[in-house]
Amino acid sequence: MQQRRSRNLLAISLVSLVALAACGDDETTESTSAAVETTAAVTETTAATDTTTATAETSAPDTTGGEAGGALAGICPETVIIQTDWMPEAEHGFLYNLVGDGYEMDADLAYVTGPLLDSTGADMGVDIQVRSGGVPQQFSPVSQLLYNDEDILLGFVYTDEAIQFSGTEYPTVAVMSGFEKNPQMIMWDPATYPDVTGVADLGTAGATVRYFGGAAYMDYLTTTGILSPDQVDGSYTGDPALFIADEGKAAQQGFGSAEPYLYEVELTDWGKPVAYEYINDLGWRNYAQSIATKPENIETYADCLTALVPMIQQSAVDYLTDPTHGNEVILAAVESFGGDFGWTYTAGAADFGVSTIQADGLQANGTDGTMGSFDLDRVAELIALAVPIYTEQGSPPKDGIVPDDIVTNQFIDPSIAL
């Protein structure tokens, strides 16, 4: 299984990092987890609530005066449930931005539920529930969660995950591309490798590259000769201790929207910049955090998706324009239940995440100039790269798979753009 969101739980102290603390209990294989890459702060979060449900005070737009009944009432489920692949963070901000005033936290299950608002602040007549992934879901793949719980309408599914599961009992179709460019990257210490300008140079230098074992992109890098099989180490679990302890002699995977800030600002035992290159720029052009559903829902909920998908598109534009409300909900969620699941996250990390998403074009208009659209030629290219790799790994995709099997622009509003 491809890796969706590799984020580490930093429930360990800086002291334990220096002492080379043992790796955490995160999943080390792609087959069962969204295994974790660190974006969290190492500062303590406020104690999580002991109650199952806690009402949050927010600065969301006023919902009074919204259209009577709401535009989604009667065509969408009373609660539109969207399953993410990890704990609340800036990369999920375009969903939390839809959650209106008076939202509630389920601290036991790591859910945020509130009225679903459009970009004008009007109440759409239904609730939205954003469910955290990772630890609260026992690291189950989102594709599988969509089938395990009939109440979940949508979930984050990366394109390579959709390719992999297309031949199994968990096929999905994405109705909007969450990220135009996958935030996943490989990072290195520029002081240790001053002549390295990209991952190919790491290959030439023979540097060890740590990654989560089973990642399809790594098979792509080794079979194309960008890296050699004898220099990659699939034992990485997301723990920063080894990178710090070996003083950056080995490179490792991470997220460009997270680790550079974490290592320079919050992991004070490192406290200096890292360099990195996005895997997307190496040819594995994977749509990240795409909004997907089960194939039968394309017809069953066609009216709902026709109205809802443009709202999510607009929320993505709005969040990048002004992330204030989305980040308030994210940080309130972390305060409510993050500690229960070993997750910490700061306002500084959220601000860095948003600025990097903007600056690096991670969430951006598609090739047609529309927010959230899929380039079917690009999807076909990834299918051509991924099918032999997943087949070799023993997880063959659907025979004869084509882009229309796993993505659709049917519900995209072409007028919505940054």
Side-chain angles (χ1 to χ4, degrees):
M1 177 190 312
Q2 64 86 36
Q3 182 180 327
R4 294 160 301 284
R5 301 289 293 175
S6 358
R7 300 295 173 96
N8 190 43
L9 303 175
L10 278 184
I12 51 180
S13 68
L14 290 176
V15 174
S16 64
L17 290 177
V18 177
L20 269 180
C23 292
D25 294 331
D26 306 338
E27 289 286 352
T28 58
T29 66
E30 299 271 319
S31 60
T32 58
S33 79
V36 290
E37 272 165 16
T38 337
T39 62
V42 291
T43 55
E44 291 185 357
T45 62
T46 306
T49 179
D50 291 330
T51 60
T52 300
T53 305
T55 301
E57 295 296 330
T58 79
S59 62
D62 186 1
T63 62
T64 60
E67 180 181 346
L72 300 182
I75 60 172
C76 288
E78 291 183 1
T79 300
V80 174
I81 298 175
I82 305 180
Q83 176 68 58
T84 71
D85 54 358
W86 195 241
M87 298 293 286
E89 53 194 350
E91 292 84 351
H92 305 173
F94 67 111
L95 295 186
Y96 289 103
N97 198 52
L98 290 164
V99 181
D101 190 30
Y103 56 84
E104 296 182 335
M105 308 289 182
D106 188 319
D108 292 335
L109 298 175
Y111 298 167
V112 178
T113 308
L116 196 159
L117 307 186
D118 72 0
S119 61
T120 71
D123 191 328
M124 293 294 96
V126 299
D127 284 341
I128 180 173
Q129 182 176 96
V130 183
R131 295 186 177 183
S132 298
V135 177
Q137 302 296 337
Q138 294 78 50
F139 300 102
S140 298
V142 175
S143 295
Q144 182 177 342
L145 293 172
L146 286 167
Y147 283 84
N148 289 350
D149 188 340
E150 293 292 329
D151 291 335
I152 302 173
L153 178 62
L154 302 167
F156 283 169
V157 177
Y158 285 43
T159 307
D160 56 359
E161 178 184 341
I163 294 169
Q164 181 182 17
F165 280 115
S166 62
T168 73
E169 65 270 36
Y170 307 123
T172 58
V173 178
V175 296
M176 175 185 161
S177 65
F179 275 64
E180 179 70 11
K181 184 174 180 177
N182 187 355
Q184 197 170 38
M185 52 76 163
I186 292 175
M187 71 181 202
W188 63 90
D189 176 24
T192 302
Y193 297 102
D195 297 327
V196 169
T197 60
V199 174
D201 292 338
L202 290 172
T204 302
T208 297
V209 179
R210 298 191 187 100
Y211 73 104
F212 286 88
Y217 81 81
M218 187 57 75
D219 284 357
Y220 162 75
L221 295 179
T222 57
T223 57
T224 55
I226 296 173
L227 296 174
S228 63
D230 60 0
Q231 75 178 121
V232 299
D233 177 359
S235 66
Y236 181 58
T237 65
D239 189 342
L242 290 177
F243 190 89
I244 294 172
D246 72 10
E247 299 180 340
K249 292 181 176 64
Q252 70 184 32
Q253 73 174 65
F255 275 70
S257 52
E259 270 84 355
Y261 177 85
L262 179 72
Y263 276 74
E264 183 173 1
V265 178
E266 296 188 346
L267 287 173
T268 55
D269 289 303
W270 181 258
K272 55 186 177 180
V274 296
Y276 61 93
E277 183 176 16
Y278 288 109
I279 293 165
N280 178 91
D281 296 337
L282 296 166
W284 191 261
R285 298 198 299 157
N286 191 17
Y287 285 107
Q289 293 185 181
S290 294
I291 305 297
T293 191
K294 294 184 291 188
E296 59 265 31
N297 287 340
I298 297 298
E299 180 176 351
T300 303
Y301 289 101
D303 290 343
C304 174
L305 295 172
T306 297
L308 176 62
V309 170
M311 293 179 190
I312 303 176
Q313 289 177 264
Q314 187 62 52
S315 184
V317 172
D318 294 344
Y319 178 69
L320 293 181
T321 303
D322 181 4
T324 304
H325 173 63
N327 284 350
E328 285 178 353
V329 181
I330 288 168
L331 294 173
V334 173
E335 180 179 345
S336 174
F337 55 73
D340 290 345
F341 299 100
W343 178 247
T344 57
Y345 196 71
T346 64
D351 290 342
F352 176 85
V354 174
S355 63
T356 303
I357 290 167
Q358 294 169 328
D360 292 357
L362 304 182
Q363 197 166 32
N365 298 334
T367 53
D368 61 356
T370 299
M371 171 60 77
S373 64
F374 292 99
D375 181 332
L376 298 187
D377 289 338
R378 172 176 160 182
V379 175
E381 290 173 3
L382 187 62
I383 289 173
L385 294 173
V387 166
I389 290 173
Y390 286 126
T391 301
E392 180 67 22
Q393 289 183 352
S395 181
K398 176 183 176 181
D399 187 32
I401 180 176
V402 296
D404 288 340
D405 291 326
I406 56 173
V407 303
T408 180
N409 289 320
Q410 176 181 346
F411 306 107
I412 293 291
D413 182 340
S415 69
I416 299 175
L418 282 168

